[in-house]
Amino acid sequence: MTNELEDVMASHDVPADPSRRRLLAGLLTAYTASLIPWALAQPAPHADRGAFTALSAILVGRQALDATQTARLYDALVADDAHFPADVQTLLTLINQRQIDPQQLQNVLDTEHSPLAKLPRKIVGAWYLGVVGSDEAARCIVYETALNAVVVADVLKPPTYAYGTYASWANKPI
Amino acid sequence: MKRMTGRPVPLLALICVFAGLYAGTAAATDSANTELLQRGQYLATAGDCVACHTAPGGKPFAGGLPVPTPIGTIIATNITPSKTAGIGNYTEQQFSDALRRGIRADGKRLYPAMPYTAYAQISDDDVQALYAWFMHGVSPVDTAPTPTRLPFPFNIRLSMAAWNLLFLDSKPFTPDPGKSAEWNRGAYLVRGLEHCSTCHTPRNLLMAEQSSHALAGGEVGTWHAPNITSDANSGIGGWSASDLVAYMKLGHAAGRAQAAGPMAEAVDNSLQHLTATDLQAIATYLKTVPAQHDPADTRAVDTWGAASNELDSLRGVALPSDPNKMSGAQLYDAYCASCHQDSGQGSFDGGLPSLFHNTATGRTHTNNLVMVILDGIDWPADGSGVHMPGFAQTLSDQQVATLGSYLLKHYGNPAAVISADQVKSLRAGGAPSHLVLLARLALIVVLLVLVAIIAMFMRRRRREAIQAEHD
């Protein structure tokens, strides 16, 4: 946990001018801040990226996110969809204002036929599978540190990584 | 009838008694023989005779393995007890002379590719046991391998007599009374049967071991036999005795090193079969071998590097169309990461080693790193087979160089370098030796000097004769 927080602190896009330094807290309301209290002190030099960090954290339910990975996923998502930053801002504002329970968010958007309904799936997919884009345009942006690997890393290794000695993968399972 | 019946009884009893006695002595002799043969077999295993005297896939000890040396290829001979093709006609004395003095039964000299300079240390008792086993425990094979043919002047075997005068200490091992029995046993094995110095001691221009640099590291074909002296940085000074025993028994010591190349062969054929007591003795002795320090080793060779990766540089990025332009991280990801894991940390159970804190990446001498990438690690003898696959058929010279440099930068000694030319040369079997040319040049020089001396001598004689006429 401490390490992960340090990773977040060591964000690669800390502003050159400290007077322009903003905190993620500025993008959150009391309600969303209560969902991700760790994020309050995080630098948010760029409002769009900051909103993505906050929304990602709310959606994937993690108390810390690696800054480099956040930036790489964000860049890939923006490269695919120029509206992505604005959509993120809109959805974050929606959650801020309506105090939507993250567990109910997808339901709410689906029921209301919101144009933002695709957004949570896209963001959670990027974080959990590490894949951005689809079909021909799909890119694996992260693999070993995609959350589907991280949440089980105490027991499992990502597919193709060996557990034991050379050729132990040919042993019959117990 | 009474007499008739009376006599056979004691006779029968006598026969029974003698038969019993005979059977008793025979059993005692048998068990003594069995014990001698078993000891001989153990000693032959310790000496790793099989490594050179068996061709891949060939019959044990039937010879035929070409051993590349700087003076040409030497073909190992048949040392089965075949009377036509092997050493079946050798007396124990002849066997001992071949083993400890480098002299064949026909009086010709052996080349010191046969480590008789080390075997010279073997005790008479052990020679006897070895002789018994080679004569009675090994199956004769009646096929003789092609004889060794070295280029001139090395084809003159008698030259080895002069070499032996210079470099052969033919006295068997004498224990040092000031040291423990364990140390002496270790010294006896290391200097004698295990012939560690054959590979691990550097050689001079005449291919003799430099005793002043004992076990400081030597060259074995394309491999480098590392420093195994007690130096803390260059050698095994930082290893515990149990690290050393584990290495010899299992072929690896966690967080330090693993055996590859000729050393994997030595563990596979020989060291892993030694008793725990003997391995412990070897470790005890090695820990006392005088330190030989290489100034290039600014810290212990098994303490470099840390877990790290460049995953961010390669995920989501297409591979270059030219495979030779792949980055070190891309090559590592494609060929190494599956086993050594994304950050070089090795597998959960330690069965696949970490690449940091590993002598494979911690030395400035990088040939072994290239060789293990090219050849992998194979243990054919004990049946465990491939421990690491080789990539000689998969990776180009440039790819091995790029990958090797990535490994050194992340996990090893960052001052070490690997070049594509180095990989190319090692793949081809190493840089050619100039010893044959050197020897021939030396002979020409000697010849010219002789001619000059004779000419001077003759001129002086003539001048003296003319002077005498004038007088």
Side-chain angles (χ1 to χ4, degrees):
Chain A
M1 183 70 190
T2 322
N3 280 340
E4 285 177 68
L5 273 175
E6 273 166 9
D7 286 346
V8 174
M9 310 278 243
S11 172
H12 70 357
D13 51 9
V14 169
D17 177 3
S19 67
R20 294 188 58 212
R21 182 185 165 97
R22 280 196 281 176
L23 293 180
L24 209 53
L27 302 165
L28 304 173
T29 60
Y31 168 69
T32 41
S34 72
L35 298 174
I36 45 170
W38 61 272
L40 289 175
Q42 301 306 307
H46 189 296
D48 289 343
R49 285 189 183 207
F52 176 68
T53 307
L55 185 58
S56 293
I58 292 167
L59 290 175
V60 300
R62 304 281 291 180
Q63 286 304 314
L65 292 173
D66 177 79
T68 309
Q69 191 159 326
T70 309
R72 297 189 68 240
L73 290 174
Y74 176 78
D75 290 346
L77 288 160
V78 173
D80 275 6
D81 176 6
H83 282 285
F84 183 75
D87 288 349
V88 168
Q89 289 278 7
T90 314
L91 185 57
L92 182 62
T93 310
L94 195 73
I95 301 169
N96 274 340
Q97 289 170 352
R98 291 174 50 184
Q99 304 196 1
I100 304 171
D101 176 358
Q103 301 280 355
Q104 297 305 318
L105 179 68
Q106 194 64 59
N107 255 340
V108 171
L109 297 177
D110 288 346
T111 319
E112 295 176 3
H113 301 288
S114 163
L116 296 173
K118 282 183 176 171
L119 196 56
R121 289 197 186 92
K122 203 170 173 180
I123 294 175
V124 172
W127 276 103
Y128 267 83
L129 303 176
V131 176
V132 171
S134 55
D135 303 326
E136 292 282 292
R139 284 103 69 214
C140 176
I141 305 297
V142 289
Y143 180 67
E144 292 77 2
T145 51
L147 293 181
N148 65 354
V150 171
V151 295
V152 293
D154 54 338
V155 181
L156 299 176
K157 287 177 178 288
T160 75
Y161 281 98
Y163 286 82
T165 53
Y166 183 80
S168 58
W169 46 85
N171 296 340
K172 282 186 180 169
I174 302 159
Chain B
M1 193 69 192
K2 205 176 177 184
R3 278 169 71 186
M4 290 281 280
T5 50
R7 282 194 70 169
V9 174
L11 192 65
L12 196 68
L14 215 60
I15 288 168
C16 285
V17 166
F18 272 113
L21 267 178
Y22 178 76
T25 43
T29 321
D30 274 357
S31 79
N33 274 340
T34 312
E35 195 268 335
L36 185 70
L37 291 184
Q38 276 174 352
R39 200 157 60 84
Q41 181 175 21
Y42 180 78
L43 295 166
T45 305
D48 203 3
C49 313
V50 74
C52 288
H53 286 284
T54 306
K59 297 223 171 79
F61 304 106
L65 179 80
V67 181
T69 79
I71 58 167
T73 297
I74 292 174
I75 297 161
T77 52
N78 180 332
I79 54 165
T80 68
S82 159
K83 290 195 182 295
T84 52
I87 57 168
N89 293 320
Y90 273 54
T91 62
E92 189 177 323
Q93 185 56 47
Q94 288 171 328
F95 178 82
S96 163
D97 284 348
L99 194 64
R100 297 194 286 186
R101 296 173 62 210
I103 301 173
R104 306 196 302 208
D106 65 359
K108 289 222 167 113
R109 309 288 160 155
L110 298 177
Y111 294 109
M114 160 75 178
Y116 59 84
T117 50
Y119 292 160
Q121 303 268 316
I122 301 173
S123 70
D124 294 347
D125 268 5
D126 283 355
V127 169
Q128 193 194 7
L130 279 164
Y131 179 73
W133 187 70
F134 270 105
M135 291 302 141
H136 305 292
V138 175
S139 316
V141 177
D142 292 331
T143 46
T146 342
T148 300
R149 292 201 200 290
L150 292 186
F152 177 81
F154 301 113
N155 56 345
I156 304 169
R157 282 180 181 264
L158 197 61
S159 58
M160 289 302 133
W163 191 92
N164 289 344
L165 269 180
L166 288 171
F167 303 117
L168 174 65
D169 173 10
S170 58
K171 280 197 298 288
F173 178 78
T174 37
D176 180 344
K179 297 282 199 323
S180 69
E182 185 182 55
W183 184 95
N184 277 306
R185 175 69 179 165
Y188 174 70
L189 287 169
V190 167
R191 295 185 200 159
L193 276 167
E194 284 295 338
H195 60 286
C196 306
S197 66
T198 303
C199 295
H200 287 280
T201 297
R203 290 174 184 265
N204 62 22
L205 198 61
L206 292 172
M207 297 310 294
E209 292 168 19
Q210 300 173 30
S211 49
S212 57
H213 292 93
L215 305 182
E219 308 305 317
V220 198
T222 49
W223 291 83
H224 175 72
N227 183 325
I228 52 168
T229 70
S230 61
D231 188 75
N233 282 6
S234 307
I236 47 89
W239 294 41
S240 68
S242 57
D243 287 335
L244 288 165
V245 171
Y247 183 91
M248 292 184 281
K249 188 81 196 166
L250 309 169
H252 58 87
R256 297 199 182 279
Q258 47 290 314
M263 192 62 202
E265 184 186 88
V267 175
D268 186 19
N269 286 323
S270 171
L271 285 163
Q272 66 165 327
H273 302 293
L274 295 197
T275 61
T277 326
D278 277 348
L279 291 179
Q280 187 66 36
I282 291 175
T284 301
Y285 171 70
L286 283 180
K287 292 284 290 173
T288 68
V289 171
Q292 299 275 348
H293 182 66
D294 179 349
D297 299 323
T298 51
R299 60 196 266 189
V301 290
D302 53 13
T303 55
W304 289 97
S308 62
N309 63 59
E310 291 180 20
L311 290 172
D312 287 341
S313 78
L314 59 101
R315 295 281 170 254
V317 178
L319 291 175
S321 53
D322 177 359
N324 279 327
K325 297 226 161 67
M326 283 173 81
S327 71
Q330 286 172 328
L331 289 163
Y332 180 83
D333 183 49
Y335 299 103
C336 317
S338 206
C339 285
H340 294 288
Q341 310 296 318
D342 62 2
S343 302
Q345 73 271 39
S347 63
F348 280 149
D349 62 356
L352 295 162
S354 72
L355 296 177
F356 48 90
H357 292 192
N358 191 326
T359 58
T361 54
R363 294 183 197 283
T364 46
H365 197 299
T366 52
N367 280 2
N368 287 3
L369 182 55
V370 172
M371 285 309 298
V372 80
I373 295 172
L374 289 176
D375 286 0
I377 301 174
D378 193 11
W379 293 35
D382 78 353
S384 61
V386 175
H387 287 218
M388 168 175 160
F391 296 90
Q393 307 301 320
T394 318
L395 298 175
S396 70
D397 296 338
Q398 181 57 56
Q399 286 179 312
V400 173
T402 309
L403 172 60
S405 304
Y406 175 87
L407 298 177
L408 293 168
K409 180 179 129 200
H410 278 271
Y411 309 125
N413 187 334
V417 282
I418 290 178
S419 71
D421 283 343
Q422 178 190 0
V423 180
K424 187 179 174 195
S425 158
L426 290 171
R427 194 195 286 272
S433 162
H434 302 296
L435 264 184
V436 172
L437 186 67
L438 262 174
R440 287 177 183 173
L441 284 175
L443 279 178
I444 292 171
V445 169
V446 167
L447 216 65
L448 287 176
V449 169
L450 274 178
V451 168
I453 289 172
I454 291 169
M456 263 170 57
F457 181 71
M458 283 177 64
R459 197 187 296 167
R460 188 186 292 170
R461 282 274 302 269
R462 204 176 307 145
R463 206 179 295 146
E464 280 170 3
I466 292 168
Q467 211 149 34
E469 263 175 44
H470 283 272
D471 290 345

